[in-house]
């Protein structure tokens, strides 16, 4: 299953690179340099910066093919309004859904397995309404649709994961927040939202568990919402004084790189996060930002 | 003709009742959007007993004055035309073939004794009407027992089909399933303590119809009794014209034993207090001798309860007050640690003076955490709501229980007020908590703690494992100033069975005595 996805995305990537330069107007109009590994877009409009970040990586059609069923996985974990920065920005989610359809996606599914009551989380976060309006299938997690999956990781050998997440493509859309135990919750931690079972237990070996679970998830794209970030009392917040507006969206195909860059938003380094260190060491992605082509755009 | 109208009216009210019942569930917004407690608002028995017991009542209850006025004009039309429990009795009664025997002819007085008992006890501040008030009884039984059972039955049927693994069948049932789920089923399967017990009582009451139709309405219902007392003076009267052949057919069709004169069953003598205006008698009369109208009835039979019996019932109601309050829970300084009341609950005394145990709050509770008490609040508080965090915590921004409470036992709070209210406090069991007892990282409790400044904080402590290796763990601590007792920590604590953090009622905002801090 995973191998097939890897092959598929490799094929797509290959196809994208093989395009004659003259045909790919988008890339050419930006610059002639090779595509960046990570894009950082800043600006007032969450929709515009989301679009700019993805376009900087070559556009959504580089990651989503015509006829794909795409899962867009935001963080809808808490019953909070968008201003509190506990859940992914609804405009960012809606823009991604829209871009998936523009790239020819057949269906786009949006869901999360929240900690608070799902109905309140979906409604109060504004994500359900925004994603639905953009055309996505927004559904609550169905407890019957979890199956035990082989993970064979360092700590997690197997775990019940949500069936629906294994679509043609998955786009991880976390929000950047403080977290008591893991210091920050960014992209890799967002996979907790597809886990079933007694997931609180993974706190006992949080760093290893996050790497294990991230290894079996193979996102076509990771888009970190840093329009607002939660700097204290995370991951749930509740105090507007703990929220900082950065008007930033970060995108990459490398989830470790996203988390490493995400750490800098909080005045930390990637190496300060146990799971980023561990992930880089095991070859899941790149932690060292100096080794990455980072493109900053304004929108 | 009128009988047919009555049946249509019964169907409409029953459907309305079920519709409102199904709407007593969150859709994620702060408000429900429907007046889900409407039937309770129209219940004059709750109005009167709450006024007596608590000397106050929420404004919506004055709607029940409309019911009193209607009864004064048309008699017990509520019982015959609208009461959802009455209609269910009709439906179950239809399963019975044989004619009702009238050997309990004098037992109809029992419901008046029950009414007198309840009113007398409420006069002395005891509110236990809800145990027998038909609307409270019905909503409670459906919420806690029948509806969860229905959910479970439907879900397991779909699961059974799914397990057959026939693809074509599975596709069909899956689409039916999603439709049923959206319209009829609960968002998540509810579970309640005492579900089977409360259900057993409810089904026994329905089962009595197989002995005598509308057994409950004839002999037990205190609301029926109250409306009966009013309908003695109602303007609408039954009259029988000269043409009556005394065939007695009408008496046999009467739903409420209202036509039982001497000689028995001649069809003329009529008890206005018993009549529920079902119009079976005029419908069945072959010679069209029976009429209802605003004329004087020829032979109304007076309601004769007997002075001694009335006094005894009233005395029993009075005696019940100190009797039920002689348990330790009534002691002022005593507080039951497990009795975590919903947010916005009045002080325990005031709460019990109002709560009618209708179960609306338990139905609407978003996490299924509100459960019926057994003896935690004494026998007086039987089936009143308490939070059992291991089953479900109090959702931080949810205010639904206060919105649906008919009597104001749980105040209606704004989300801002609600988030400030304390319903208890969390206690850490260091003998079970992973970072304390086993040197294992965890702090799930800190992660899920919803207060803006987290009530659960942690201290980084370096401990040694059995090999002498140093391990740094974060040990959670509870800040009593911040903790609101919502119980999400207990609910999400990964230590199975007896959790390593749990909530007790002390510290609740509503009480002056039940406090820990200075």
């Amino acid at each position: 299953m995973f191998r097939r996805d890897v092959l598929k995305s490799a094929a797509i990537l290959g196809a994208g690179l093989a395009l004659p330069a003259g045909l790919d107007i988008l890339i050419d109009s930006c610059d002639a340099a090779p595509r960046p590994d990570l894009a950082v877009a800043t600006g007032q409009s969450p929709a515009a910066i989301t679009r700019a970040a993805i376009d900087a990586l070559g556009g959504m059609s580089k990651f989503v093919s015509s006829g794909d069923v795409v899962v867009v996985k935001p963080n809808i974990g808490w019953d909070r309004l968008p201003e509190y920065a506990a859940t992914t920005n609804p405009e960012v989610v809606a823009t991604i859904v829209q871009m998936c359809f523009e790239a020819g996606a057949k269906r786009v599914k949006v869901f999360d397995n929240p900690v608070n009551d799902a109905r309140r989380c979906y409604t109060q976060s504004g994500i359900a309404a925004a994603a639905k309006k953009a055309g996505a299938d927004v559904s609550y997690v169905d407890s019957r649709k979890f199956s035990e999956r082989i993970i064979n990781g360092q700590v997690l050998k197997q775990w019940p994961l949500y069936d629906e997440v294994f679509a043609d493509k998955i786009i991880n859309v976390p929000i950047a927040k403080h977290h008591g135990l893991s210091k920050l919750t960014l992209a890799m931690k967002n996979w907790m939202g597809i886990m079933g079972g007694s997931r609180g237990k993974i706190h006992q070996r949080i760093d290893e568990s996050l790497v294990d679970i991230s290894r079996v998830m193979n996102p076509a794209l990771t888009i970190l919402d840093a329009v607002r970030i939660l700097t204290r009392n995370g991951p749930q917040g509740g105090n507007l004084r703990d929220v900082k507006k950065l008007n930033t969206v970060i995108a990459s195909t490398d989830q470790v790189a996203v988390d490493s860059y995400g750490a800098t938003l909080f005045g930390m380094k990637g190496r300060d996060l146990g799971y980023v260190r561990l992930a880089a060491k095991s070859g899941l992605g790149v932690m060292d930002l100096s080794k990455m082509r980072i493109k900053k755009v304004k929108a | 003709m009128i009988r047919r109208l009555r049946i249509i009216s019964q169907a409409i009210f029953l459907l309305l009742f079920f519709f409102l019942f199904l709407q007593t569930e969150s859709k994620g917004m702060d408000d429900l959007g429907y007046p889900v407690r409407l039937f309770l608002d129209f219940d004059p028995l709750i109005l009167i007993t709450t006024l007596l017991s608590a000397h106050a009542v929420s404004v919506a209850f004055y709607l029940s004055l409309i019911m009193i006025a209607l009864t004064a004009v048309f008699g017990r039309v509520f019982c015959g035309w609208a009461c959802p429990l009455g209609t269910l009795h009709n439906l179950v009664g239809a399963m019975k073939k044989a004619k009702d025997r009238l050997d309990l002819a004098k037992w109809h007085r029992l419901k008046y004794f029950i009414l007198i008992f309840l009113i007398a006890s409420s006069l002395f501040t005891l509110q236990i009407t809800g145990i027998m008030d038909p609307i409270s009884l019905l909503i409670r039984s459906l919420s806690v027992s029948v509806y969860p059972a229905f959910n479970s039955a439907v879900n397991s049927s779909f699961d059974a089909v799914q397990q057959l693994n026939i693809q074509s069948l599975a596709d069909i049932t899956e689409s039916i399933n999603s439709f049923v789920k959206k319209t009829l089923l609960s968002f998540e399967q509810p579970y309640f303590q005492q579900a089977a017990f409360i259900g057993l009582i409810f089904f026994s009451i329905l089962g009595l119809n197989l002995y005598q139709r509308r057994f409950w309405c004839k002999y037990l219902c205190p609301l029926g009794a109250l409306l009966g007392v009013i309908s003695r003076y109602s303007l609408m009267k039954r009259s029988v014209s000269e043409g009556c052949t005394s065939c007695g057919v009408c008496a046999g069709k009467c739903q409420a034993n209202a036509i039982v004169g001497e000689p028995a069953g001649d069809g003329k003598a009529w008890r206005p207090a018993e009549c529920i205006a079902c119009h079976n008698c005029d419908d069945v009369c072959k010679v069209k001798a029976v009429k209802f109208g605003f004329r004087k009835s020829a032979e109304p039979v007076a309601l004769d309860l007997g002075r001694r019996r009335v006094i005894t019932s009233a005395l029993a109601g009075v005696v019940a007050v100190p009797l039920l309050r002689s348990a330790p829970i009534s002691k002022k300084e005593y507080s039951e640690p497990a009795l975590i009341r919903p947010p916005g609950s009045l002080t325990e005394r005031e709460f019990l003076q109002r709560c009618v145990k209708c179960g609306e709050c338990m139905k609407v509770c978003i996490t299924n955490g509100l459960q019926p008490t057994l003896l935690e609040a004494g026998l007086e508080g039987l089936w009143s709501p308490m939070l059992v965090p291991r089953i479900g915590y109090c959702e931080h921004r949810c205010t639904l229980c206060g919105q649906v409470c008919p009597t104001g036992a749980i105040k209606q709070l704004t989300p801002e007020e609600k988030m400030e209210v304390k319903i208890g406090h969390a206690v850490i069991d260091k003998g079970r908590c992973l970072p304390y007892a086993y040197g294992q990282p965890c702090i799930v409790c800190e992660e899920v703690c919803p207060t803006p400044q987290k009530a659960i904080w942690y201290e980084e402590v370096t401990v040694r494992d059995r090999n002498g290796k140093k391990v740094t763990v974060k040990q959670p601590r509870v800040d009593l100033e911040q903790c609101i007792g919502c119980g999400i920590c207990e609910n999400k604590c990964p230590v199975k069975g007896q959790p390593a953090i749990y909530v007790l009622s002390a510290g609740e905002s509503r009480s002056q005595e039940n406090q820990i801090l200075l």
Side-chain angles (χ1 to χ4, degrees), chain A:
Chain A
M1 169 119 226
F2 306 121
R3 192 186 308 156
R4 195 170 58 207
D5 285 348
V6 174
L7 287 178
K8 234 190 245 171
S9 39
I12 292 159
L13 222 74
L17 291 172
L19 276 177
L23 285 183
D24 205 331
I25 303 160
L26 257 177
I27 289 186
D28 266 22
S29 63
C30 298
D31 54 17
R35 256 188 299 127
D37 302 316
L38 187 130
V40 182
T42 49
Q44 287 305 312
S45 153
I49 57 178
T50 305
R51 196 168 275 278
I54 296 169
D55 284 345
L57 295 180
M60 192 60 103
S61 54
K62 290 279 173 286
F63 312 104
V64 169
S65 321
S66 184
D68 273 352
V69 175
V70 184
V71 166
V72 171
K73 161 65 179 80
N75 184 334
I76 328 180
W78 308 96
D79 170 19
R80 293 279 187 217
L81 299 171
E83 303 87 277
Y84 287 85
T87 45
T88 307
N89 187 297
E91 280 184 71
V92 171
V93 178
T95 309
I96 295 166
V97 171
Q98 226 169 8
M99 292 178 78
C100 289
F101 281 121
E102 287 162 13
K106 188 169 70 182
R107 279 181 77 188
V108 180
K109 300 181 185 181
V110 174
F111 52 78
D112 191 16
N113 189 11
V115 179
N116 287 149
D117 176 76
R119 292 160 289 186
R120 286 196 64 91
C121 294
Y122 274 49
T123 309
Q124 304 286 326
S125 68
I127 292 175
K132 249 182 226 163
K133 206 175 155 206
D137 294 342
V138 180
S139 61
Y140 295 118
V141 159
D142 182 342
S143 58
R144 300 172 308 163
K145 292 186 186 162
F146 284 90
S147 346
E148 205 70 37
R149 303 263 171 180
I150 306 293
I151 291 173
N152 263 337
Q154 208 183 335
V155 173
L156 306 180
K157 297 303 167 198
Q158 54 179 45
W159 201 272
L161 301 182
Y162 198 48
D163 295 340
E164 301 251 330
V165 87
F166 299 100
D168 296 325
K169 300 285 158 55
I170 172 154
I171 300 176
N172 191 13
V173 194
I175 173 168
K177 295 186 286 181
H178 162 260
H179 189 274
L181 185 66
S182 63
K183 292 186 186 170
L184 294 178
T185 159
L186 303 157
M188 290 164 70
K189 178 104 184 16
N190 200 33
W191 294 128
M192 274 191 88
I194 57 143
M195 297 176 76
S198 182
R199 52 187 175 165
K201 279 188 189 146
I202 74 162
H203 272 215
Q204 292 161 35
R205 300 285 296 276
I206 190 81
D207 294 334
E208 293 87 345
S209 301
L210 290 182
V211 175
D212 288 350
I213 192 87
S214 301
R215 183 174 295 284
V216 297
M217 298 314 300
N218 189 19
L221 198 56
T222 302
I223 298 161
L224 178 66
D225 160 30
V227 174
R228 299 183 186 90
I229 64 169
L230 184 60
T231 57
R232 284 175 64 222
N233 290 307
Q236 178 164 195
N239 191 339
L240 288 175
R241 272 176 303 186
D242 297 337
V243 176
K244 204 162 133 191
K245 204 143 194 245
L246 295 186
N247 295 317
T248 303
V249 163
I250 295 132
S252 175
T253 52
D254 182 340
Q255 49 184 337
V256 182
V258 168
D259 281 6
S260 186
Y261 191 91
T264 63
L265 304 174
F266 295 83
M268 293 186 210
K269 291 224 165 71
R271 68 182 73 260
D272 296 334
L273 304 174
Y275 53 91
V276 170
R277 271 198 318 267
L278 220 59
K281 207 169 120 194
S282 69
L284 185 63
V286 182
M287 175 173 77
D288 189 349
L289 296 177
S290 66
K291 288 188 183 145
M292 274 187 273
R293 284 187 298 272
I294 297 174
K295 181 164 178 179
K296 298 196 174 181
V297 285
K298 284 205 188 305

Side-chain angles (χ1 to χ4, degrees), chain B residues 89-282:
Chain B
H89 286 313
N90 278 155
L91 291 173
V92 178
M95 307 284 167
K96 188 192 176 202
K97 208 173 171 193
K99 257 177 83 171
D100 286 340
R101 283 161 47 201
L102 300 177
D103 51 358
L104 296 176
K106 284 201 163 177
W107 282 79
H108 68 279
R109 294 177 300 185
L110 180 57
K111 62 177 176 292
Y112 298 100
F113 302 143
I114 293 171
L115 174 70
I116 293 164
F117 175 95
L118 292 173
I119 289 186
S121 57
S122 67
L123 197 56
F124 291 89
T125 70
L126 181 69
Q127 174 58 296
I128 51 171
T129 308
I131 301 294
M132 287 198 72
D133 169 69
I135 306 297
S136 307
L137 174 103
L138 180 59
I139 297 176
R140 175 178 66 240
S141 306
L142 292 182
S143 302
V144 170
S145 179
V146 181
Y147 188 58
F150 169 75
N151 260 281
S152 160
V154 173
N155 281 329
S156 44
S157 311
F158 278 116
D159 288 351
V161 175
Q162 208 71 20
Q163 270 160 17
L164 289 176
N165 240 336
I166 306 168
Q167 195 51 47
S168 53
L169 198 64
D171 289 344
I172 301 167
T173 54
E174 193 62 10
S175 59
I176 301 173
N177 186 9
S178 72
F179 175 74
V180 171
K181 220 170 190 171
K182 264 181 214 144
T183 50
L184 287 180
L185 294 189
S186 180
F187 183 69
E188 267 174 78
Q189 171 67 41
Y191 295 95
F192 286 99
Q193 295 174 350
Q194 303 180 62
F197 177 53
I198 289 171
L200 204 63
I201 294 172
F202 180 67
F203 286 118
S204 302
I205 288 170
L206 286 184
L208 287 172
N209 287 290
L210 302 178
Y211 174 65
Q212 248 190 55
R213 293 179 185 86
R214 277 194 183 249
F215 185 102
W216 168 268
C217 318
K218 286 175 193 166
Y219 306 120
L220 298 172
C221 182
L223 176 59
L226 175 66
L227 297 176
V229 171
I230 301 165
S231 74
R232 286 171 71 193
Y233 310 103
S234 79
L235 302 177
M236 180 77 85
K237 303 271 187 223
R238 178 180 186 269
S239 62
V240 181
S241 69
E242 293 297 320
C244 171
T245 59
S246 299
C247 68
V249 170
C250 57
K253 285 277 172 190
C254 178
Q255 286 193 24
N257 284 1
I259 314 170
V260 277
E262 295 291 337
D266 76 342
K268 286 180 185 152
W270 175 64
R271 293 172 179 161
E274 299 304 301
C275 178
I276 58 169
C278 73
H279 290 273
N280 278 357
C281 56
D282 53 343

